Amino acid sequence: MRTLVGRWQTWAGFGVAALLLFGIAPAVLSDFRLGLLGKFLCFAIVAVGIGLAWGRGGMLVLGQGVFFGLGGYMMGMHLKISDAQLRGEDVPDFMQIAGVRELPSYWAPFASPAFTLLAIVVIPAGIAAVLGFGVFKRRVKGAYFAILSQALAAALAILLVGQTGLGGSNGLTNFRTFFGYALNDPINKQMLYFIAAAVLLIVVAVVRQLMQSRYGELLVAVRDGEERVRFLGYDPANIKVVAYTVAALFASIAGALFTPIVGFMAPSQVGILPSIAFLIGVAIGGRTTLLGPVLGAIGVAWAQTLFSERFPSEWIYAQGLLFIVVVGFFPAGFAGLAVLLNRRRKREADPARQDSSLQSNPNPDTEKVGAPT
């Protein structure tokens, strides 16, 4: 019976989310605000992957901007080639200004839509898998893994700035079409928003299935007691690699959607600051829950857009202070805080349950929160 109720609750939750994203939001938001929401949904897709790797697996991933940028740049390369072909030109506009008359060899495959979509999935996931095996097999974890992933993001951003063939510090901009659809058409912009919303729901469903599977139990076990898992005959490195690869795949897909929705992809979206911004949203929302990273990412991005317009210099300090407060006092995020308050309310309403809870756990404040339902 509990399983049946849980399934109905899950389907009801997805139904409400679909109604909000596909029905209410397009009806009440202007085209500009709907485009902003589409941008925020891309950040939420990245956050879901971080929640799996960090919240469930204990891997502090500070370099998701790398995979976000890879997906975004590959999509941008295809869009620029398509724009050039529509104008009857051999190379994109920014290459013509630089005096380039022939398309570079590494650009040529991205003229194919099928190759581009395949590369967005395969290349970042393959890089993450190889990097993960190299790192986790050597039992690198904790702060060392976080520093390594952050260094990778910084290195890629510096590399992209020096690549004139990828737009340099300006990146790739001024896209006109998306797989044959004009990007200046409001209907097509709304279509991109719907694609982002659908991908977000699919990503959340995939992560929920992973969390509730045997693999999800092993991932939590690796986070809480890696040596015990190794003693039971499992290789923690393989378990970590899967979560890290899935998170990289989600970030790449989000970057590929971000590029046509926002209209550019630049090194500023790849480096350390974007990677930390992704992490802040996950931490504030609740990294150990399923929907906490989604709500946190959207909420932080919305607050940044709202307050940075009025208080551009103060917002960054407020964001940092909020992150410190959450990590220091509410490590499970606002979603975990809500779970804790709900449990306390139930104990206060049921004295018998409160007595049994106190017998099993003399200090209820230390009770773990944030497990997905």
Side-chain angles (χ1 to χ4, degrees), residues 41-51 64-65 68 247 250-252 254-255 278 282:
L41 295 183
C42 294
F43 296 157
I45 295 172
V46 182
V48 173
I50 295 177
Q64 291 306 94
F68 185 81
F250 290 169
S252 176
F278 293 144
V282 175

Side-chain angles (χ1 to χ4, degrees), residues 85-325:
Q85 291 176 344
L86 287 176
R87 296 193 304 268
E89 300 171 350
D90 296 329
V91 297
D93 48 7
F94 72 92
M95 290 186 183
Q96 296 178 23
I97 296 175
V100 178
R101 295 293 178 264
E102 184 178 354
L103 196 67
S105 58
Y106 65 91
W107 273 71
F110 291 96
S112 168
F115 178 86
T116 302
L117 295 176
L118 183 63
I120 289 170
V121 173
V122 173
I123 293 178
I127 293 175
V130 172
L131 180 63
F133 272 111
V135 171
F136 298 131
K137 286 292 184 179
R138 294 177 178 271
R139 302 188 183 183
V140 177
K141 56 184 178 180
Y144 299 102
F145 171 74
I147 293 172
L148 178 63
S149 62
Q150 192 174 60
L152 184 64
L156 181 60
I158 295 172
L159 177 64
L160 290 174
V161 169
Q163 297 296 316
T164 56
L166 292 173
S169 59
N170 294 326
L172 304 178
T173 60
N174 300 323
F175 307 117
R176 298 183 180 182
T177 61
F178 175 76
F179 294 96
Y181 295 94
L183 288 176
N184 59 358
D185 188 342
I187 299 298
N188 295 333
K189 291 182 178 179
Q190 191 176 74
M191 176 191 67
L192 284 171
Y193 162 80
F194 286 140
I195 293 175
V199 169
L200 176 60
L201 292 180
I202 293 172
V203 163
V204 171
V206 169
V207 170
R208 181 184 180 277
Q209 186 63 32
L210 287 175
M211 285 182 173
Q212 294 193 336
S213 66
R214 181 172 180 80
Y215 169 78
E217 296 176 353
L218 286 173
L219 187 61
V220 174
V222 168
R223 180 195 66 189
D224 296 338
E226 184 170 331
E227 295 304 323
R228 292 184 179 181
V229 173
R230 184 175 287 108
F231 177 76
L232 293 174
Y234 296 96
D235 188 349
N238 296 336
I239 298 171
K240 288 183 176 181
V241 167
V242 172
Y244 185 57
T245 303
V246 170
L249 173 61
F250 290 169
S252 176
I253 294 173
L257 291 171
F258 175 90
T259 298
I261 288 176
V262 178
F264 76 95
M265 175 54 68
S268 59
Q269 303 296 323
V270 177
I272 294 176
L273 291 180
S275 299
I276 294 177
F278 293 144
L279 207 69
I280 289 175
V282 175
I284 292 175
R287 61 188 175 93
T288 58
T289 61
L290 179 62
L291 295 181
V294 174
L295 300 178
I298 295 175
V300 169
W302 173 80
Q304 181 178 4
T305 301
L306 179 63
F307 292 106
S308 61
E309 295 175 354
R310 302 180 181 179
F311 312 102
S313 59
E314 290 82 1
W315 162 248
I316 189 66
Y317 298 105
Q319 187 181 37
L321 178 62
L322 182 60
F323 180 68
I324 292 172
V325 170

